[in-house]
Short mmCIF file of all heavy atoms in Angstrom, two decimals:
data_model
loop_
_atom_site.label_atom_id
_atom_site.label_comp_id
_atom_site.label_asym_id
_atom_site.label_seq_id
_atom_site.Cartn_x
_atom_site.Cartn_y
_atom_site.Cartn_z
N THR G 187 -28.38 -31.82 -1.74
CA THR G 187 -29.03 -31.87 -0.44
C THR G 187 -28.82 -33.24 0.18
O THR G 187 -29.00 -34.26 -0.49
CB THR G 187 -30.53 -31.57 -0.58
OG1 THR G 187 -30.67 -30.39 -1.37
CG2 THR G 187 -31.19 -31.38 0.76
N GLY G 188 -28.42 -33.23 1.45
CA GLY G 188 -28.30 -34.50 2.17
C GLY G 188 -26.98 -35.24 1.98
O GLY G 188 -26.77 -36.28 2.57
N VAL G 189 -26.05 -34.69 1.18
CA VAL G 189 -24.77 -35.37 0.99
C VAL G 189 -23.64 -34.52 1.58
O VAL G 189 -23.49 -33.36 1.22
CB VAL G 189 -24.48 -35.60 -0.52
CG1 VAL G 189 -23.15 -36.31 -0.72
CG2 VAL G 189 -25.62 -36.35 -1.17
N TRP G 190 -22.86 -35.09 2.51
CA TRP G 190 -21.74 -34.37 3.09
C TRP G 190 -20.62 -34.27 2.06
O TRP G 190 -20.27 -35.26 1.43
CB TRP G 190 -21.20 -35.08 4.34
CG TRP G 190 -22.10 -34.92 5.53
CD1 TRP G 190 -23.01 -35.83 5.97
CD2 TRP G 190 -22.15 -33.80 6.41
NE1 TRP G 190 -23.66 -35.35 7.09
CE2 TRP G 190 -23.14 -34.11 7.38
CE3 TRP G 190 -21.48 -32.59 6.49
CZ2 TRP G 190 -23.47 -33.22 8.41
CZ3 TRP G 190 -21.80 -31.71 7.51
CH2 TRP G 190 -22.79 -32.03 8.46
N THR G 191 -20.06 -33.07 1.88
CA THR G 191 -18.98 -32.87 0.91
C THR G 191 -17.84 -32.14 1.62
O THR G 191 -18.08 -31.25 2.42
CB THR G 191 -19.47 -32.00 -0.27
OG1 THR G 191 -20.73 -32.49 -0.68
CG2 THR G 191 -18.50 -32.03 -1.43
N THR G 192 -16.60 -32.52 1.31
CA THR G 192 -15.47 -31.85 1.99
C THR G 192 -15.19 -30.51 1.33
O THR G 192 -15.45 -30.31 0.14
CB THR G 192 -14.19 -32.70 1.94
OG1 THR G 192 -13.82 -32.87 0.58
CG2 THR G 192 -14.37 -34.05 2.60
N LEU G 193 -14.62 -29.60 2.13
CA LEU G 193 -14.28 -28.26 1.63
C LEU G 193 -13.28 -28.35 0.49
O LEU G 193 -13.40 -27.67 -0.52
CB LEU G 193 -13.71 -27.41 2.78
CG LEU G 193 -13.29 -25.98 2.41
CD1 LEU G 193 -14.45 -25.18 1.85
CD2 LEU G 193 -12.71 -25.26 3.63
N SER G 194 -12.30 -29.26 0.64
CA SER G 194 -11.27 -29.33 -0.41
C SER G 194 -11.87 -29.83 -1.73
O SER G 194 -11.45 -29.42 -2.81
CB SER G 194 -10.10 -30.21 0.02
OG SER G 194 -10.56 -31.51 0.30
N ALA G 195 -12.90 -30.69 -1.64
CA ALA G 195 -13.54 -31.15 -2.86
C ALA G 195 -14.27 -29.98 -3.53
O ALA G 195 -14.38 -29.90 -4.75
CB ALA G 195 -14.53 -32.27 -2.55
N LEU G 196 -14.76 -29.06 -2.71
CA LEU G 196 -15.52 -27.92 -3.24
C LEU G 196 -14.61 -26.88 -3.89
O LEU G 196 -14.91 -26.35 -4.95
CB LEU G 196 -16.33 -27.26 -2.13
CG LEU G 196 -17.49 -28.09 -1.60
CD1 LEU G 196 -18.07 -27.46 -0.35
CD2 LEU G 196 -18.58 -28.22 -2.66
N THR G 197 -13.50 -26.59 -3.23
CA THR G 197 -12.62 -25.55 -3.78
C THR G 197 -11.74 -26.10 -4.88
O THR G 197 -11.30 -25.37 -5.76
CB THR G 197 -11.70 -24.95 -2.70
OG1 THR G 197 -10.90 -26.00 -2.17
CG2 THR G 197 -12.49 -24.31 -1.59
N GLY G 198 -11.51 -27.41 -4.84
CA GLY G 198 -10.56 -27.98 -5.79
C GLY G 198 -9.16 -27.86 -5.18
O GLY G 198 -8.85 -26.85 -4.53
N ILE G 199 -8.33 -28.85 -5.42
CA ILE G 199 -7.00 -28.83 -4.80
C ILE G 199 -6.03 -28.06 -5.68
O ILE G 199 -6.11 -28.12 -6.90
CB ILE G 199 -6.52 -30.27 -4.56
CG1 ILE G 199 -7.41 -30.87 -3.46
CG2 ILE G 199 -5.06 -30.31 -4.13
CD1 ILE G 199 -7.17 -32.33 -3.20
N GLY G 200 -5.14 -27.36 -5.03
CA GLY G 200 -4.09 -26.68 -5.80
C GLY G 200 -4.49 -25.29 -6.24
O GLY G 200 -3.73 -24.60 -6.88
N PHE G 201 -5.68 -24.85 -5.90
CA PHE G 201 -6.05 -23.48 -6.26
C PHE G 201 -5.56 -22.52 -5.19
O PHE G 201 -5.03 -22.93 -4.17
CB PHE G 201 -7.56 -23.36 -6.44
CG PHE G 201 -8.00 -23.96 -7.74
CD1 PHE G 201 -8.48 -25.24 -7.80
CD2 PHE G 201 -7.86 -23.23 -8.91
CE1 PHE G 201 -8.86 -25.79 -9.01
CE2 PHE G 201 -8.24 -23.77 -10.13
CZ PHE G 201 -8.74 -25.05 -10.18
N GLY G 202 -5.78 -21.25 -5.43
CA GLY G 202 -5.19 -20.23 -4.57
C GLY G 202 -5.81 -20.16 -3.20
O GLY G 202 -6.92 -20.63 -2.96
N ARG G 203 -5.04 -19.55 -2.33
CA ARG G 203 -5.54 -19.35 -0.96
C ARG G 203 -6.74 -18.43 -0.95
O ARG G 203 -7.66 -18.61 -0.18
CB ARG G 203 -4.42 -18.74 -0.12
CG ARG G 203 -3.34 -19.75 0.17
CD ARG G 203 -2.02 -19.06 0.34
NE ARG G 203 -0.97 -20.06 0.45
CZ ARG G 203 0.31 -19.79 0.26
NH1 ARG G 203 0.68 -18.56 -0.03
NH2 ARG G 203 1.20 -20.72 0.37
N SER G 204 -6.71 -17.42 -1.82
CA SER G 204 -7.83 -16.49 -1.85
C SER G 204 -9.12 -17.24 -2.15
O SER G 204 -10.18 -16.93 -1.61
CB SER G 204 -7.62 -15.44 -2.92
OG SER G 204 -6.44 -14.76 -2.69
#
Side-chain angles (χ1 to χ4, degrees):
Chain G
T187 311
V189 180
W190 286 99
T191 314
T192 62
L193 179 59
S194 60
L196 291 170
T197 60
I199 291 174
F201 284 97
R203 287 152 187 162
S204 302

